Amino acid sequence: MNKDFQNIDVLITKHMDRELSTVDWDRLYEGIQQRLDDVENQDNKTSARKVMLRWGIALTSAAAIVLAVFMLAHDSEQPLPLPPGQQVAVKLSEPDSVVKIEIENPIASVSIKLPAGQTGVQTVTLNAQIVRCDVTIIDQNGHAETQNSPRPSWIIIAASKSEHIQTQTDKDQVDIACLL
Amino acid sequence: MKKTLHKVDAKDDTSTLVKKSQEGDRNAFNLLVKRYQACAMKTALRILANADESAEAVQDAFVTAYLKIKKLRNPEKFGFWLLQIVTNYAIRRQRLIVKRRRLFKNIDHLQPAIPNHCENTISTGEIQSAIQSAMSKLTKTQIRALALFGIEELSHKEVADILGCSPGAARWHVFQARKKLKVLLKDYIE
C-alpha cells in the first residue's frame, strides 16, 4: 500500500482511538435505553390517543344520528303552517317586475320573490316546510290580473299540498326561486 | 413494541436475539445493543471523528433499528444492517457539522481573534476539524467504504456486502477516498 495511504489510515485510526478512550460505554448504553424508553412511551401515548379519537368519532356520530332522528320526528309532528284549502291574502310590498311578497299570518312569516303578473302553482317554504300553493294575483278590484291590468297589490295563496324537504338540493332550489 | 417475558440468555447467538427482538422482546434487543455498540461507535467515529457526535449517531441508529427490526429478513445479517444505519446517520450528522461550522465561521469574523500560543503543535480539535472537513469532500459511498474498511471485525467481502457492491468495487471506493484524503490532509500526515 502507498505510504501516504498508510499514513492517512494511521492518522484516522489514531484519532479514533483517542476519541474512543473518552467514551463512557455505560453512559452510552444508558443513553440508548433512555431513547428506546422514550420511543416506547411515545408509542403507547399514540395508541391511547388513537383509541380516544376512535371513541370520540363514534360518540359524535351517535349523537349526530340521535339529533337527526329527533329533529325529523319533531318536524313531522308540527302542524302544517298552511292547511290544505286555506287561503291567505298577501299584500305585495314592492311594485317591481320581480316583487317581494310578505306573508303575515299567525303561523308563518316568509319572503318570496314572485315575478309580477304570474299565477299558478307556486312552491314556498313556510316554517321550514315546503308548501305547494295555488297563487292567484288579483288587482285592486279583486279581479284576477291580466296582461293589461294595472299593477297588482294583493295576491291570494292557497295551500294545496305539503312536502317535506327530501334533499339539500331540493331545499336549495325551493329556497332560491319559486318556479311557476 | 411490548415488553415480553422471554428468557434471554447473553450466550444466545445474534440470530436468536434478533428473532426474539422481532417478537417484541426488549431484553433481547438490549443484549444486541451491548454486543454491537462498540462496533457501531467505531464506525461512527471513523466518519465523525468526534465521540459526542458519534454517540448521538449511534443512539439514533439503535432507535431506528429497534423500530424497524421486524422488517429485517435475515436475522444473521443484523450487524451489517445496523452498520448501514449507523453510517447513514453518521453521514447525515457530518453534513450538519460542516454546515454548522460554516455558519460559525461567518460569526467568528465578527469576534476578536484569540492569540494562538502553541502554533507549532497541532491540537486534537484541529485534527478533528480537518478530518471532518476532508470527509465532507468525499462521496457517501467513499465515506462508507473507508469507515467500514477500518473496522477489523469486517472482511472485505462483508464490507462489499454492506455497500451492496463487489469486493473489487469496494476496494476502488476506498482507494478513491484515500486519494482525496491524501491531498486534503497533507498538512497533518507525518
Side-chain angles (χ1 to χ4, degrees):
Chain A
M1 199 196 297
N2 186 320
K3 200 188 167 198
D4 283 340
F5 285 177
Q6 273 182 341
N7 288 339
I8 288 163
D9 283 346
V10 168
L11 178 78
I12 293 173
T13 309
K14 253 188 182 177
H15 183 74
M16 185 189 76
D17 288 341
R18 202 163 31 220
E19 288 289 318
L20 265 180
S21 66
T22 67
V23 174
D24 181 343
W25 295 103
D26 290 334
R27 207 173 135 221
L28 176 65
Y29 180 76
E30 287 304 316
I32 294 167
Q33 293 306 310
Q34 184 63 49
R35 292 279 302 274
L36 293 177
D37 287 344
D38 290 348
V39 167
E40 277 190 345
N41 291 338
Q42 194 68 35
D43 271 2
N44 292 340
K45 272 185 194 169
T46 312
S47 307
R49 258 185 227 146
K50 275 182 187 168
V51 170
M52 283 180 69
L53 187 68
R54 275 184 204 145
W55 270 103
I57 291 170
L59 285 174
T60 312
S61 309
I65 290 166
V66 168
L67 187 69
V69 168
F70 172 78
M71 283 181 76
L72 280 174
H74 184 72
D75 281 355
S76 62
E77 284 168 9
Q78 273 196 339
L80 276 176
L82 203 59
Q86 186 177 324
Q87 290 189 343
V88 178
V90 178
K91 187 179 182 182
L92 296 177
S93 60
E94 292 172 27
D96 300 330
S97 59
V98 176
V99 293
K100 186 179 176 187
I101 58 171
E102 289 175 359
I103 300 166
E104 288 176 6
N105 66 25
I107 49 172
S109 173
V110 70
S111 295
I112 58 171
K113 283 188 174 176
L114 179 72
Q118 291 183 333
T119 60
V121 176
Q122 186 79 278
T123 307
V124 296
T125 306
L126 297 174
N127 280 359
Q129 298 226 21
I130 298 172
V131 179
R132 199 177 290 270
C133 305
D134 294 319
V135 177
T136 310
I137 299 179
I138 54 172
D139 60 21
Q140 286 177 342
N141 301 320
H143 302 300
E145 188 201 29
T146 61
Q147 287 290 336
N148 300 324
S149 62
R151 294 291 313 151
S153 57
W154 292 82
I155 63 169
I156 292 172
I157 293 179
S160 58
K161 189 182 173 187
S162 84
E163 294 170 1
H164 285 292
I165 298 163
Q166 295 300 320
T167 63
Q168 187 61 35
T169 317
D170 290 346
K171 190 186 174 202
D172 290 346
Q173 283 171 352
V174 168
D175 284 346
I176 290 167
C178 302
L179 300 172
L180 282 169
Chain B
M1 206 182 282
K2 286 175 187 172
K3 284 182 191 179
T4 51
L5 297 171
H6 287 289
K7 274 191 175 177
V8 181
D9 192 340
K11 286 175 190 169
D12 278 349
D13 64 0
T14 299
S15 295
T16 311
L17 290 176
V18 171
K19 280 173 192 162
K20 285 178 180 173
S21 300
Q22 285 175 329
E23 288 164 14
D25 189 334
R26 171 78 183 270
N27 292 330
F29 191 80
N30 289 346
L31 283 176
L32 287 172
V33 172
K34 275 190 179 161
R35 199 170 282 184
Y36 283 94
Q37 66 175 6
C39 190
M41 194 67 185
K42 276 185 198 171
T43 309
L45 262 176
R46 286 184 73 85
I47 297 170
L48 291 164
N50 176 287
D52 292 334
E53 296 285 354
S54 303
E56 291 288 330
V58 167
Q59 285 183 9
D60 288 342
F62 274 113
V63 169
T64 303
Y66 180 65
L67 292 173
K68 295 188 174 173
I69 199 160
K70 282 183 181 169
K71 290 179 184 170
L72 180 63
R73 287 181 190 170
N74 301 323
E76 65 279 4
K77 295 208 169 177
F78 174 80
F80 300 164
W81 178 68
L82 177 73
L83 290 184
Q84 263 180 341
I85 300 172
V86 171
T87 52
N88 285 343
Y89 274 109
I91 290 169
R92 201 179 295 174
R93 195 162 274 276
Q94 184 230 20
R95 304 280 195 249
L96 284 176
I97 292 169
V98 173
K99 272 186 195 169
R100 208 188 304 153
R101 188 169 301 137
R102 272 189 211 137
L103 186 72
F104 280 116
K105 231 180 196 176
N106 292 338
I107 295 169
D108 281 348
H109 284 303
L110 308 172
Q111 304 281 337
I114 299 164
N116 187 359
H117 296 296
C118 45
E119 283 175 0
N120 295 327
T121 57
I122 300 169
S123 69
T124 312
E126 239 177 294
I127 295 174
Q128 186 176 297
S129 302
I131 294 173
Q132 284 172 346
S133 349
M135 285 285 190
S136 70
K137 303 283 190 307
L138 307 181
T139 65
K140 282 183 184 176
T141 316
Q142 286 169 350
I143 296 173
R144 272 196 202 105
L146 193 70
L148 296 170
F149 258 70
I151 309 295
E152 303 97 25
E153 292 91 339
L154 295 175
S155 68
H156 288 190
K157 169 84 175 59
E158 287 170 336
V159 172
D161 279 350
I162 297 173
L163 293 174
C165 61
S166 67
R171 274 195 292 274
W172 169 253
H173 288 307
V174 175
F175 173 76
Q176 289 297 322
R178 282 175 175 153
K179 207 169 136 187
K180 280 188 191 172
L181 291 182
K182 188 181 130 183
V183 178
L184 294 165
L185 295 172
K186 64 176 187 295
D187 296 340
Y188 302 91
I189 298 171
E190 288 166 8

